[in-house]
Amino acid sequence: MRFLSTDEQLAIVDAVDDIISANGGARVARAWVDGDTAPGLALWAQLAEAGLMGLRVDEALGGFGGSTSDLVVVAERLGWHSVPGPMLESIALLPHLVDDEDRAGLADGTLIGTATVAGIAPLALDAHVANRHYAIAESHVAAADPGGAIASIDPARRLFPLTATGSPRDVDPAVIASAVDETTLACAAGLVGTGERLLAESVEYAKVREQFGAPVGQYQSLKHQLADVRVALSFARPLVWGAALSAGTSKHSRDVSAAKVAAGAAARLAAQTALQVHGAIGYTREHDVSIWLARAVAHDQAWGTQEHHRDRIARSLLAS
Amino acid sequence: MNLDLTPEQDAFRLEARTWLAENVPVSPLPSMDSEAGFRAHREWEATLHAGGWSVVSWPAEYGGRDAGLIEWVLFEEEYYLSGAPTRVSQNGISLLAPILFEYGTPEQHARYLPHMTDGSLIWAQAWSEPGAGSDLASIRSTATRDNARGGWLLNGQKTWSSRAVWADRGFGLFRSDPSASRHAGLTYFLFPLDAEGITVRPITQIDGDTGFAEIYFDDVFVPDSDVLGAPGDGWRVAMSTAGNERGLSLRAPGRFLAASARLTELFRERGTVGTRTADDVVDAWIGAQAYRLFTWGTVSRMLDGESVGAEGSMNKVFWSELDRDIQATGLRMLGAEGELRGSGAVDGGRWVDDYLFSLAGPIYAGTNEIQRNIIAERILGLPRDGKKA
């Protein structure tokens, strides 16, 4: 038993961090907000070249052959850097639901996929940059065309209705449910990363911003709020990791829901606290903290709200 | 990352589960903070010791099993899930013994350790004073040198001293050098609670039990052989105890897994899915799982040779508030019955008793406000609280 990242996972994390930082870090999300998707797509290509877009694709198809644990470790970094675009759809969801040719295309980065999933994801993220669109229902997958964009609370996200065009292909409902669980778990991991970034930005700001002749981080009221964020994130991450390890067991769906509830709540707390620490500057788009703040809220809403997942746990745990 | 156990660890867990199933008292023992309950809990310690489960992580020469950290957490999980009694020897085994192993002389080891494991020597902790709770460095009780008799004379008053009413001995800090600064000049003493000059005054708690007491010291003689560590070095010695106490439940995720399981059971009897209560029961379950998994992460780091310092403060804040939420949800589910205690109450009033005890969690072992300061300053690196110049 060793419930820590492996050396290999730590090396992947370093590689992901290096690639994203070299491509502009938070500036990528900023450009995406302004409609300039070029830096984001360049980053996408770089991640694909390093094999990370094929993280969950078999090596035989040009993928990385990674585990669910590898995925959550990477997804946390995507949240930390606020990487835009339909990454979760392309890395976590679609590899399990498309044919081998498309799977290889997702892995090498030539295909960017997005999707709607009946019930949990009624709109597709960033269909304008995708060259594959899928409408996914309980037991089938169909090619689809996007309608007009709808704005999100997170300006780095644009959401699109999809209309199925091709004839639907039957897919085992258990495979679809498991792919959705995996995407939900990756979203939870990303929320931990986003929450960690919000906390880190808040702590740095609290050390330098002075009011009444002292850094605001010296005041106990803010210290205790930041300590609560530290606690919430530290106890959310093990749930994400634990759920990654229960993949393939009967407990997995419940564990994924627990991870999503805790990560969403922790990230929301981090966002609220970040705003409180930053004051009015945090409420502006010109300050970077808004990038993570909006992302935390949007990702808490996406792939099932806290209410949705509590309800799912209740049905599994409490039904007698 | 993985959570796999070795076949040996699985076997250890099964052995513990089997023994507990056969030996845990069928009906709960009376409160350890009553005279009869204390005696019954002392007997349970002897039973545990006879089965070889009293101190699994200790060396075999003192009655332990030389068990590793993972086995120890597994045992704790099984212990709580079995519904076994709370450990009346906890002060001695969990708080004193680790530093006795580290700072004690071989003679002190031989004199105290074997008797801690079978319930024949039960310890009270004597940290706080009327003017010093979480701010332990401000204690004023004194130790003055008695060269003629080869020891020290203790004077002053301790309070909130857990188990002191019926325990055999106590341990605590006294100011042996009044001219030294706050943290210096403190010495760590072990003393018998029936010594001449000691008066123990029981304090009735909010739950009606006398779980703690005040201890008055009037020229109480303690020989040099009962000084733990070097004279004047008490702060450093005591701080390793405080670390143990705050990290204590790091070792006991079973306690909250068991509480959450009882809450889930109560919900199945009385609750409705889709209500706020259902959400609270779910959150309790999520919290207990998070606590368990966080513990495994900490254990993994400790096995890598890292020490757990300020992280224990996160632990303490999390479990104490989780416990309070679990118990409060239980009471709410009981409705009008949720105020009843003793015979005639649901589960003999256990929900009310556990609720009252959970209220103390955010207070004892360093208040959660102190813990949040530690998290903010030592983990997040925020500037220290403004001290008056």
Side-chain angles (χ1 to χ4, degrees), chain A residues 5 9-10 12-13 16-17 20 55 68-83 88 91 185-198 230 233-234 236-241 263 292 295 299, chain B residues 1:
Chain A
S5 292
Q9 284 164 346
L10 294 173
I12 299 173
V13 163
V16 171
D17 283 350
I20 298 172
L55 190 69
T68 312
S69 293
D70 298 333
L71 173 69
V72 298
V73 166
V74 168
E76 182 177 326
R77 303 318 297 167
L78 299 178
W80 167 272
H81 294 286
S82 211
V83 174
L88 300 183
I91 300 182
L185 182 58
C187 183
L191 280 161
V192 171
T194 300
E196 288 287 355
R197 184 62 176 263
L198 283 158
R230 178 67 276 151
L233 289 166
S234 293
R237 183 182 288 108
L239 287 168
V240 172
W241 288 11
W292 294 286
R295 186 180 177 101
H299 279 76
Chain B
M1 59 185 83

Side-chain angles (χ1 to χ4, degrees), chain B residues 306-325:
Chain B
E306 290 180 38
S307 61
V308 177
E311 197 173 296
S313 293
M314 295 206 284
N315 221 36
K316 203 266 168 168
V317 167
F318 190 84
W319 70 249
S320 59
E321 297 180 4
L322 170 65
D323 195 32
R324 196 176 56 185
D325 291 348

Side-chain angles (χ1 to χ4, degrees), chain B residues 154-236:
Chain B
L154 306 185
N155 281 284
Q157 181 190 352
K158 297 286 178 181
T159 191
W160 318 133
S161 183
S162 303
R163 308 286 90 76
V165 182
W166 288 285
D168 307 296
R169 295 184 71 95
F171 55 87
L173 285 182
F174 291 76
R175 194 164 292 285
S176 51
D177 181 358
S179 64
S181 68
R182 269 162 52 91
H183 295 82
L186 298 171
T187 298
Y188 197 120
F189 288 97
L190 312 174
F191 49 85
L193 283 165
D194 59 358
E196 194 181 331
I198 281 189
T199 308
V200 175
R201 187 184 79 81
I203 304 172
T204 304
Q205 295 173 165
I206 202 169
D207 61 6
D209 286 338
T210 45
F212 46 44
E214 291 176 300
I215 309 174
Y216 296 89
F217 300 80
D218 180 14
D219 279 341
V220 176
F221 176 76
V222 177
D224 287 329
S225 59
D226 270 334
V227 171
L228 185 52
D233 201 25
W235 180 257
R236 190 167 66 94

Side-chain angles (χ1 to χ4, degrees), chain B residues 253-318:
Chain B
R255 178 171 154 193
F256 309 105
L257 291 171
S260 159
R262 279 201 310 279
L263 192 68
T264 300
E265 207 42 56
L266 187 63
F267 185 89
R268 288 208 187 96
E269 290 165 19
R270 297 180 175 240
T272 312
V273 172
T275 59
R276 186 193 147 190
T277 303
D279 282 348
D280 288 345
V281 174
V282 165
D283 281 345
W285 179 81
I286 293 173
Q289 302 303 313
Y291 189 70
R292 170 174 174 269
L293 291 163
F294 179 88
T295 302
W296 285 123
T298 306
V299 165
S300 299
R301 279 190 296 277
M302 290 170 80
L303 291 173
D304 277 3
E306 290 180 38
S307 61
V308 177
E311 197 173 296
S313 293
M314 295 206 284
N315 221 36
K316 203 266 168 168
V317 167
F318 190 84

Side-chain angles (χ1 to χ4, degrees), chain A residues 14 42 96 134 142 160 291 301 315:
Chain A
D14 282 345
H96 305 289
Y134 299 93
F160 296 76
I291 292 173
Q301 295 293 127
R315 283 173 207 294

Side-chain angles (χ1 to χ4, degrees), chain A residues 2-3 223-224 228 310 317, chain B residues 283 300 304 372-373 377:
Chain A
R2 193 171 180 280
F3 195 50
K223 269 185 179 164
H224 286 194
D228 282 340
R310 276 199 192 91
L317 185 73
Chain B
D283 281 345
S300 299
D304 277 3
R372 286 184 164 93
N373 283 355
E377 290 169 10

Side-chain angles (χ1 to χ4, degrees), chain B residues 353-370:
Chain B
D353 292 345
D354 287 359
Y355 169 73
L356 284 171
F357 186 60
S358 78
L359 294 180
I363 299 168
Y364 68 70
T367 64
N368 284 12
E369 285 68 30
I370 290 286

